[in-house]
Amino acid sequence: MSDPNNKPQGPKIIAIANQKGGVGKTTTAINLATALAAVGKSVLLIDIDPQGNASTGLGIETAQRNMTTYDLLLNGAAVEDVVCETQVPNLLIAPATTDLSSADIELAGNDGRATRLRKILRGPEMDAFDFDYVLIDCPPSLNLLTVNAMVAAHSVLVPLQCEFFALEGLSQLMLSIREVRQSINPEIRIEGVVLTMYDSRNRLSHQVEKDVRDNLGDLVFKTIIPRNVRLSEAPSYAMPALLYDHTSKGSIAYQKLAAEVLRRQA
C-alpha cells in the first residue's frame, strides 16, 4: 500500500497492470480516471496498450490520434503535442494505436529503455499541466512497456477477476514489482488490488474474494466491481460507464473505488 506520509511531488502516478488479459484493466483505467475527474481532480490517462482500447473507450477516434504514446516514447514528441481532450471535463488522454506493437522491440535496443516514460512523466514538461493524477493503462503482459510504467509510477493498482485462477499469475506480477523496486524505482508500492467482474449470485465469486482477502489482507480494496451490463455496453458507445449510465451498479462501484483511492492519499 502506498505510504501517505511520502506524498509525491507533482501528480500521483498509478500504473494499472495485470499481465492477464480480460480482467477489467482498461475498464478500470477509464472509469477510475473519469470518477477522479468528476470530483474535480485533474487527470491524465496514458494509454500504452497497443490495442488502444482506453483511447477508443474515451471517444478518441483513430483518425484523431495524430500523435500517440509511440511518438512520446520513441520519437521524442512533446507531451503537449500528444495529449488530447476527452468528453470528460478535467480528463486528458495520451492515446495509443497499433504502432505501439513494435515499441517493445524498438525499445530493447535503446539505452535507458526502461526509464523513458519516467523521464517524461516526472520531467519539467509536466509542470505546466498541474495534473493531480496520471493513470497508465498497461498492456496485458509483463513487457518493456509495462516495465516503463512501473518505473515511472509511484504505485501499481491491480485489477483481479473473480475467477478460479485469480491468484495464479499474481505472484509473477508481484515479483516484477519487487524487482523494479530493488533495481530502478525504490518508491514503487502496491496501491491496491481491486476485485472485478464479481457476481454475487455465484458461490465462486465469494470464495475467490475470501481467498484473495485471506492472502493479501489490507492490500485489497473494500470496493468490489460487479459484473454489470452497463460496464460492458459503454465501450461500444465510446464513453465511460459513468457517462453512459452513472446510476448503474458498475458506475457507482467505480465512484466508490475513486473515493478509496483518494482516502489512501489523504
Side-chain angles (χ1 to χ4, degrees):
M1 193 181 300
S2 54
D3 182 358
N5 297 315
N6 186 25
K7 293 184 179 178
Q9 295 297 311
K12 168 81 176 183
I13 305 171
I14 303 175
I16 300 176
N18 190 326
Q19 75 271 30
K20 192 175 186 304
V23 299
K25 178 180 56 61
T26 297
T27 298
T28 296
I30 291 171
N31 288 292
L32 177 58
T34 301
L36 289 168
V39 295
K41 299 300 180 182
S42 178
V43 184
L44 172 63
L45 179 56
I46 304 276
D47 189 352
I48 58 166
D49 185 342
Q51 297 173 93
N53 289 339
S55 307
T56 304
L58 281 171
I60 310 300
E61 301 283 348
T62 305
Q64 294 176 261
R65 304 175 205 177
N66 298 320
M67 301 281 274
T68 68
T69 47
Y70 176 90
D71 299 293
L72 199 63
L73 287 166
L74 287 151
N75 293 338
V79 174
E80 63 180 356
D81 293 331
V82 173
V83 299
C84 49
E85 293 184 353
T86 70
Q87 57 198 313
V88 181
N90 301 323
L91 174 57
L92 300 183
I93 187 168
T97 63
T98 52
D99 289 351
L100 208 56
S101 299
S102 64
D104 209 52
I105 296 168
E106 293 180 55
L107 282 169
N110 290 324
D111 291 335
R113 56 188 172 270
T115 57
R116 288 289 184 93
L117 193 58
R118 181 186 178 93
K119 288 175 181 175
I120 294 162
L121 296 183
R122 303 217 189 184
E125 194 183 355
M126 290 288 288
D127 294 344
F129 294 96
D130 199 25
F131 289 118
D132 296 305
Y133 284 89
V134 175
L135 304 185
I136 308 171
D137 187 30
C138 297
S141 60
L142 292 175
N143 61 12
L144 256 179
L145 289 171
T146 301
V147 170
N148 260 270
M150 290 181 181
V151 172
H154 298 105
S155 61
V156 180
L157 190 152
V158 184
L160 199 65
Q161 184 179 358
C162 290
E163 61 165 22
F164 186 70
F165 294 113
L167 288 168
E168 193 172 278
L170 187 61
S171 57
Q172 182 58 50
L173 178 62
M174 298 292 194
L175 184 61
S176 297
I177 293 169
R178 186 187 307 158
E179 288 173 354
V180 167
R181 183 187 300 135
Q182 292 173 346
S183 60
I184 312 177
N185 182 8
E187 68 188 302
I188 193 169
R189 297 291 181 267
I190 305 292
E191 184 69 27
V193 174
V194 59
L195 294 167
T196 62
M197 302 181 185
Y198 187 91
D199 186 348
S200 60
R201 301 165 300 177
N202 188 329
R203 185 182 297 176
L204 178 61
S205 285
H206 293 281
Q207 186 60 50
V208 169
E209 180 188 2
K210 183 180 185 303
D211 290 349
V212 172
R213 292 193 188 281
D214 286 349
N215 277 277
L216 300 176
D218 290 340
L219 278 182
V220 186
F221 285 102
K222 291 181 174 63
T223 303
I224 294 171
I225 310 301
R227 277 198 181 277
N228 182 247
V229 173
R230 294 296 194 232
L231 285 179
S232 303
E233 288 176 347
S236 65
Y237 291 90
M239 63 174 65
L242 276 80
L243 290 189
Y244 179 60
D245 181 357
H246 72 277
T247 64
S248 71
K249 289 182 179 179
S251 295
I252 292 168
Y254 276 114
Q255 291 171 62
K256 289 180 178 178
L257 178 63
E260 255 195 278
V261 168
L262 290 168
R263 281 197 300 273
R264 289 188 177 197
Q265 309 313 315

